[in-house]
Amino acid sequence: MTGRRTVACVHVPAAALACWGLGHTLWNGVAEPGNALAFGVLIAVGEMVRRRPTDRAGPSPDRHPPTSRFAAPLAPGRREGAPLGAAGALAYALLGEVGGRPTSHGVPQTVAVVVAAGLVGLVPYVARGGSPALDPLARRVLTVGFAATCFQPLYDTGTLRTWGAAGPLRPLFLVGLLALTALCDAVLAAALARARTGWPYGPLLRDELRALPGIGSAICATGVVIALATAVAGLWALPVFCLPLMLTQFAFRRYAAVRATYRQTIASLARATEIAGYTRHGHARRVAALSRAVGRELGLGAADLDVLEYAALMHDIGQLSLVDPVPGGATAPLPPADQRRIALLGGAVVRQTGVPAEVAVIVERQADPYREQPVTARIVRTVNAYDDLAARSAGPGAPLRALEGLRLATAQDHEPRVVEALSRVLARGGRQAGV
């Protein structure tokens, strides 16, 4: 219920602002239709080439708790984004002149153009069967409305000139305003992600803020440059100064594709133990997805979550060095010496794959006493034991019995904080999975 309230607290004001802007514009007519059309087309095109998030884990065919639910949306910096549309919307909000002629579109028309262009940009995606990205559109409306409200009245009344924020100081004022706007957007994005996923707000906000110096700074800089260049050169400045950001967006897409291929390679390597019959089908993927969810529950950042996921995928790779497979592939019931030997063998294999050294460390230390382990190794250890225990039990109560077994072993084998985080994750996912 709290999550729904949060979403409503963002969507309702955005919808009210959109209705006000559209109604005011329709009633009074469109000022400078050419400018509105040019920026509207730019924003719509930016929305059409928006990068959509994909399911990290894919469907889960396993009878145990679902992994696709726990492998939640992409972290900040790799989430969906329409930088071209965002830059165009911000530039229109900060537009005071076009080719040396003052503009008079004001705040309502700014909001109306952004809303109309955003809806047009969603049409091709919805026509292909996708669901409309309402959260980004709501954030866009609120942040652009904020920027336009802070700039348009001050510019139209000459207050900026009175404050000394015109002329050479105008770019500094615009950059500062967009920095504040970006912070507001980060707060909204983290709040919506918290409402949608139930993850802790602090790490989500931290990840959003860490993403700002990347594509966020490019969006703000492009928005300022477009607004200033259009004031001098007219609408011809739009295609010229949008080209660098478009190329940057394509470069980010290529980078995201490389990372996706990298992860798929690791996942394929992790499946070697399943193909060879050393572990159960889907075990590595279940442990990886659930470990990532537990890490998020404990407040780990995006970079640590990636390392944790890679280590969880490859945590059983050391079993390939065994002459005789472990019965059922379950390492949790083995004596500590055997667990440590398998972990060290796995770390040696992982070091030869080219993944970050932190991944090999987690794999090597997953059999150490938990008080001596980093938190990532504790998570892999606990989630791996949970999946093994759940597989050994039969019936709908297997997950609960597995959790009870983990709680009984917290004095020696598992950190209570990790076990309780796992319990909370399963409780949220289990209501729909029959756990």
Side-chain angles (χ1 to χ4, degrees):
M1 186 62 68
T2 302
R4 292 181 180 177
R5 287 199 191 99
T6 302
V7 173
C9 287
V10 176
H11 284 199
V12 171
L17 184 60
C19 291
W20 171 70
L22 290 170
H24 186 280
T25 303
L26 291 174
W27 182 264
N28 295 282
V30 179
E32 294 109 17
N35 299 341
L37 178 61
F39 278 91
V41 170
L42 174 62
I43 297 169
V45 170
E47 291 292 338
M48 289 178 185
V49 297
R50 170 183 292 274
R51 176 163 58 92
R52 306 288 174 180
T54 55
D55 186 4
R56 294 178 58 91
S60 174
D62 309 298
R63 64 179 180 88
H64 297 296
T67 58
S68 58
R69 173 172 170 81
F70 303 125
L74 297 177
R78 285 167 287 161
R79 60 186 184 277
E80 63 173 349
L84 188 61
L90 292 174
Y92 193 54
L94 304 179
L95 190 66
E97 299 177 17
V98 174
R101 297 179 180 180
T103 59
S104 59
H105 54 280
V107 177
Q109 183 170 311
T110 300
V111 174
V113 169
V114 170
V115 171
L119 294 176
V120 170
L122 291 177
V123 170
Y125 184 68
V126 175
R128 293 195 299 267
S131 58
L134 296 181
D135 284 357
L137 183 58
R139 285 165 41 205
R140 179 74 49 77
V141 171
L142 292 176
T143 52
V144 169
F146 171 78
T149 302
C150 292
F151 175 79
Q152 293 290 339
L154 297 178
Y155 185 85
D156 293 340
T157 59
T159 305
L160 290 182
R161 189 174 302 277
T162 303
W163 289 354
L169 296 180
R170 183 178 171 188
L172 296 179
F173 173 78
L174 296 182
V175 169
L177 176 57
L178 288 192
L180 185 58
T181 303
L183 290 176
C184 294
D185 183 64
V187 171
L188 291 175
L192 288 171
R194 171 71 174 86
R196 299 295 189 188
T197 65
W199 295 341
Y201 179 76
L204 288 169
L205 179 59
R206 183 172 64 247
D207 288 343
E208 292 289 341
L209 295 176
R210 285 176 176 173
L212 290 181
I215 193 66
S217 61
I219 292 172
C220 292
T222 303
V224 171
V225 169
I226 290 176
L228 296 176
T230 304
V232 177
L235 296 178
W236 288 107
L238 292 181
V240 174
F241 290 97
C242 284
L243 183 60
L245 184 60
M246 185 175 292
L247 295 176
T248 302
Q249 182 177 2
F250 287 134
F252 267 79
R253 283 191 173 186
R254 293 291 299 273
Y255 174 71
V258 170
R259 287 188 62 92
T261 303
Y262 179 66
R263 182 184 178 279
Q264 291 169 2
T265 302
I266 293 177
S268 299
L269 179 61
R271 288 196 61 207
T273 57
E274 300 175 14
I275 296 173
Y278 283 85
T279 59
R280 303 182 316 280
H281 175 69
H283 171 72
R285 189 173 64 176
R286 288 193 300 271
V287 173
L290 202 49
S291 293
R292 189 177 183 96
V294 172
R296 175 67 73 176
E297 182 74 18
L298 292 174
L300 298 185
D304 291 332
L305 289 174
D306 285 343
V307 172
L308 171 62
E309 184 178 11
Y310 296 156
L313 281 169
M314 306 181 73
H315 75 281
D316 273 332
I317 201 75
Q319 294 197 42
L320 293 175
S321 302
L322 301 179
V323 177
D324 297 318
V326 177
T331 56
L334 295 178
D338 292 341
Q339 292 186 34
R340 189 167 294 108
R341 181 168 64 91
I342 294 174
L344 291 175
L345 290 171
V349 174
V350 171
R351 291 183 185 278
Q352 304 301 316
T353 63
V355 300
E358 296 91 335
V359 176
V361 171
I362 296 173
V363 173
E364 289 172 343
R365 301 193 61 184
Q366 63 176 310
D368 292 352
Y370 83 80
R371 292 177 178 84
E372 301 175 8
Q373 292 175 318
V375 65
T376 46
R378 299 178 189 182
I379 293 172
V380 174
R381 177 193 184 105
T382 299
V383 174
N384 176 57
Y386 166 79
D387 194 71
D388 288 343
L389 290 172
R392 290 165 56 190
S393 301
L400 293 179
R401 290 192 291 272
L403 273 176
E404 185 62 25
L406 293 179
R407 288 192 174 102
L408 293 175
T410 52
Q412 180 177 356
D413 296 329
H414 304 287
E415 182 183 5
R417 185 170 65 107
V418 176
V419 175
E420 293 310 312
L422 172 61
S423 176
R424 292 193 298 272
V425 169
L426 291 172
R428 287 198 298 269
R431 283 191 290 271
Q432 294 181 0
V435 175

